[in-house]
Amino acid sequence: MSGGLLIAGTTSDAGKSVVTAGICRWLVRQGVKVAPFKAQNMSLNSFVTREGAEIGRAQAMQAQAARIEPTALMNPVLLKPGSDRSSQVVLMGKPVGEMSARGYHGGRQEALLGTVLDCLAELRGTYDAVICEGAGSPAEINLRRTDIVNMGIARNARLPVLVVGDIDRGGVFASFFGTVALLSREDQELVAGFLVNKFRGDVSLLEPGLDMLRDLTGRPSYGVLPFRHGLGIDEEDGLRVSLRGSVRESAVSSPAGEDILRVAVCAIPLMSNFTDVDALAAEPGVVVRFVDRPEELTDADLVVIPGTRGTVKALEWLRERGLAEALRRRAAEGRPVLGICGGFQILGEHIDDDVESRRGRVEGLGLLPVRVRFAREKTLTRPVGEALGEHVEGYEIHHGVADVRGGDPFLDGCRVGAVWGTHWHGSLESDGFRRAFLREVAAAAGRRFVPAAGTSFAALREEQLDRLGDLIEEHADTDALWRLIESGAPSGLPFIPPGAPA
């Protein structure tokens, strides 16, 4: 068997990533050797594979769902936005330069089709099935000519396509119909059917609409997935919270000690790898929220400055909003602050940047004795070490090179009082280290918080992935889904006018 399937969506954030992960987990539980694939990903949430390649975190999560090690083959093209008009292009895990959207879609993207198809062919030659994820919508008619991630790859690799729609947004039937009707006849021949996502209520009330959709398009629905809280793991497109003081969606249990800990994450521009705080949110009694005003730091026991693709821009944003001064006051009062990657660089004395912002020397917040110089070569590593007496693993993705000139050692960075800084993403997923760090934070914050002894972030992640597999197994037509993966789109699917414009 060398089966395949492309999961497309009516919109961004329709649920393509989690559906792809759910199908991978369902298949591997059936004994199928399966791999995920996304030809081109636009995301600031990335991960470093064991061979030192940078890929989207969603594909790393999907590989975990498939119980395999992630590789660059699973996400050959990664675009990391640096502004509204340009992105860093990462090819086969390595950065190859900055490019404007016009330049990329004007020819560069189409030239990458061969690389993308070679990666997919290699995966299909190794695995029983490859579950591919599309991007945005396949009906983005302005971009169809150069498409290598939706119908472009489906056509070239003869992949059947399943379209996912988020019914919680409303208008899902019109979105399903319109998606098919805006595709060319050749593209429509590969669209096998639909999958409804995030449904709340009685499914029997939805069935007349599904029947009418089948009559209109000649295509069945492959299932209705119910709405479930806490399934949006390792997302690409944004936060799962609004920034106006909302508590991050997480399964917050009662604290083991007498107090809770409040964590405020500064929602800086071009925020990257905000998934670093997921492990904090998983701790019983820890409440994590994203903030953008200085007054929202007042009751926080820990403030986190996360990574960013625009360190200098984020520093200016902190100053403009009064958050920089609030952070300085916290440090002077001995109240905890943690900077990760770009956040670590912001806490230093100054930044010499002729690579990312090209602004030259810029003064930092001066809370850590660190000087940062941006190198053209990107650091992509999977470090292992020890901190606070505990084993720690992480990954690094940065151009900034830190010259640490004092303080107490802390991973690859340093600590001064209650201010910590490190380039290591993912360090808080190491359970012993996370608990030791939270004990330090609680002591500095004067809170009677005690980390729960049995919390395993890896086990919680596995539980989430199993829940995704359960959704597919219990609410999708798995027999029909298996036939689709194994045999491709059925023949004779009708054309829905008007089709793609000439």
Side-chain angles (χ1 to χ4, degrees):
M1 174 187 175
S2 181
L5 176 65
L6 176 72
I7 305 298
T10 55
T11 62
S12 294
D13 203 31
K16 298 182 291 292
S17 295
V18 293
V19 168
T20 300
I23 292 174
C24 285
R25 178 50 59 101
W26 163 64
L27 285 172
V28 79
R29 293 196 304 207
Q30 310 307 309
V32 177
K33 192 178 176 185
V34 59
F37 179 77
K38 185 162 185 174
Q40 173 198 292
N41 195 346
M42 178 173 279
S43 178
L44 288 172
N45 280 341
S46 58
F47 182 75
V48 179
T49 67
R50 292 208 181 276
E51 71 268 31
E54 185 180 8
I55 66 172
R57 270 200 70 103
Q59 281 60 66
M61 176 267 292
Q62 291 159 358
Q64 187 176 348
R67 296 179 180 149
I68 58 176
E69 191 67 32
T71 72
L73 291 172
M74 298 170 189
N75 179 207
V77 182
L78 173 63
L79 305 178
K80 301 192 72 175
S83 70
D84 291 340
R85 293 178 177 270
S86 68
S87 295
Q88 183 180 65
V89 180
V90 179
L91 179 62
M92 295 303 296
K94 304 296 181 184
V96 294
E98 295 280 334
M99 187 166 289
S100 69
R102 180 178 292 276
Y104 184 69
H105 290 289
R108 176 64 168 168
Q109 182 182 37
E110 197 172 10
L112 294 173
L113 180 60
T115 300
V116 163
L117 291 173
D118 287 345
C119 291
L120 178 57
E122 187 170 341
L123 289 174
R124 295 185 80 176
T126 306
Y127 293 91
D128 299 329
V130 178
I131 308 302
C132 307
E133 180 187 346
S137 162
E140 290 169 352
I141 54 180
N142 56 315
L143 302 176
R144 175 62 185 90
R145 182 181 62 82
T146 58
D147 171 48
I148 64 170
V149 65
N150 291 307
M151 300 312 300
I153 194 167
R155 281 268 292 277
N156 277 278
R158 303 308 300 169
L159 292 171
V161 178
L162 187 64
V163 181
V164 177
D166 178 358
I167 197 169
D168 198 47
R169 294 184 175 192
V172 74
F173 292 117
S175 297
F176 280 145
F177 183 88
T179 296
V180 179
L182 279 177
L183 300 178
S184 68
R185 185 180 298 274
E186 294 79 8
D187 285 352
Q188 288 191 25
E189 289 173 356
L190 294 172
V191 178
F194 313 104
L195 185 69
V196 177
N197 192 28
K198 302 182 188 177
F199 180 72
R200 307 171 192 249
D202 185 348
V203 176
S204 67
L205 298 176
L206 194 65
E207 288 171 351
L210 297 176
D211 291 340
M212 284 187 276
L213 183 66
R214 181 167 191 159
D215 291 341
L216 286 166
T217 66
R219 292 160 174 84
S221 296
Y222 282 72
V224 177
L225 307 184
F227 187 95
R228 291 285 187 268
H229 287 282
L231 293 181
I233 52 179
D234 290 7
E235 293 157 287
E236 300 168 1
D237 298 321
L239 303 177
R240 73 214 73 150
V241 293
S242 74
L243 298 181
R244 191 51 60 198
S246 298
V247 177
R248 184 179 182 80
E249 181 181 309
S250 60
V252 178
S253 305
S254 299
E258 296 180 46
D259 287 343
I260 64 169
L261 277 185
R262 296 176 177 85
V263 178
V265 184
C266 295
I268 55 180
L270 298 172
M271 180 164 43
S272 62
N273 288 67
F274 58 80
T275 49
D276 281 333
V277 299
D278 282 354
L280 294 178
E283 278 286 344
V286 176
V287 179
V288 179
R289 61 183 179 178
F290 289 85
V291 303
D292 60 357
R293 297 181 299 185
E295 57 267 30
E296 294 174 303
L297 305 188
T298 305
D299 66 347
D301 301 306
L302 169 67
V303 174
V304 177
I305 309 175
T308 173
R309 249 288 271 155
T311 305
V312 170
K313 183 175 183 178
L315 182 55
E316 292 174 342
W317 181 89
L318 290 169
R319 285 181 169 131
E320 289 167 0
R321 289 180 170 263
L323 286 159
E325 188 56 38
L327 288 166
R328 286 197 185 93
R329 286 196 300 271
R330 283 188 68 89
E333 295 165 1
R335 302 178 67 199
V337 177
L338 171 65
I340 302 175
C341 199
F344 168 40
Q345 297 165 9
I346 284 168
L347 294 174
E349 295 172 0
H350 66 247
I351 299 164
D352 283 317
D353 180 12
D354 293 320
V355 175
E356 192 176 77
S357 69
R358 297 181 176 85
R359 293 280 299 277
R361 177 164 293 196
V362 177
E363 295 302 308
L365 296 186
L367 302 184
L368 291 176
V370 176
R371 298 177 182 178
V372 176
R373 174 185 56 83
F374 271 63
R376 298 200 175 277
E377 189 74 17
K378 181 184 280 192
T379 298
L380 296 168
T381 62
R382 291 274 291 269
V384 176
E386 185 175 299
L388 304 180
E390 298 287 346
H391 177 79
V392 191
E393 297 183 16
Y395 57 99
E396 294 185 55
I397 306 169
H398 55 90
H399 285 280
V401 178
D403 177 12
V404 179
R405 299 187 165 213
D408 297 321
F410 179 70
L411 301 175
D412 70 328
C414 66
R415 169 189 181 177
V416 174
V419 180
W420 294 266
T422 177
H423 274 131
W424 290 24
H425 294 291
S427 63
L428 294 167
E429 295 179 19
S430 297
D431 297 326
F433 167 72
R434 181 179 65 255
R435 287 192 280 269
F437 176 71
L438 289 175
R439 283 192 288 270
E440 295 261 347
V441 168
R447 295 289 184 188
R448 291 170 295 182
F449 170 85
V450 179
T455 303
S456 166
F457 184 75
L460 291 171
R461 172 54 56 88
E462 278 297 301
E463 288 176 15
Q464 280 187 305
L465 294 173
D466 275 332
R467 290 174 67 199
L468 295 181
D470 292 342
L471 274 180
I472 299 299
E473 191 166 336
E474 296 168 9
H475 300 282
D477 186 342
T478 52
D479 289 339
L481 198 57
W482 178 255
R483 288 193 299 271
L484 193 61
I485 293 168
E486 190 174 32
S487 305
S491 59
L493 291 170
F495 172 70
I496 308 301

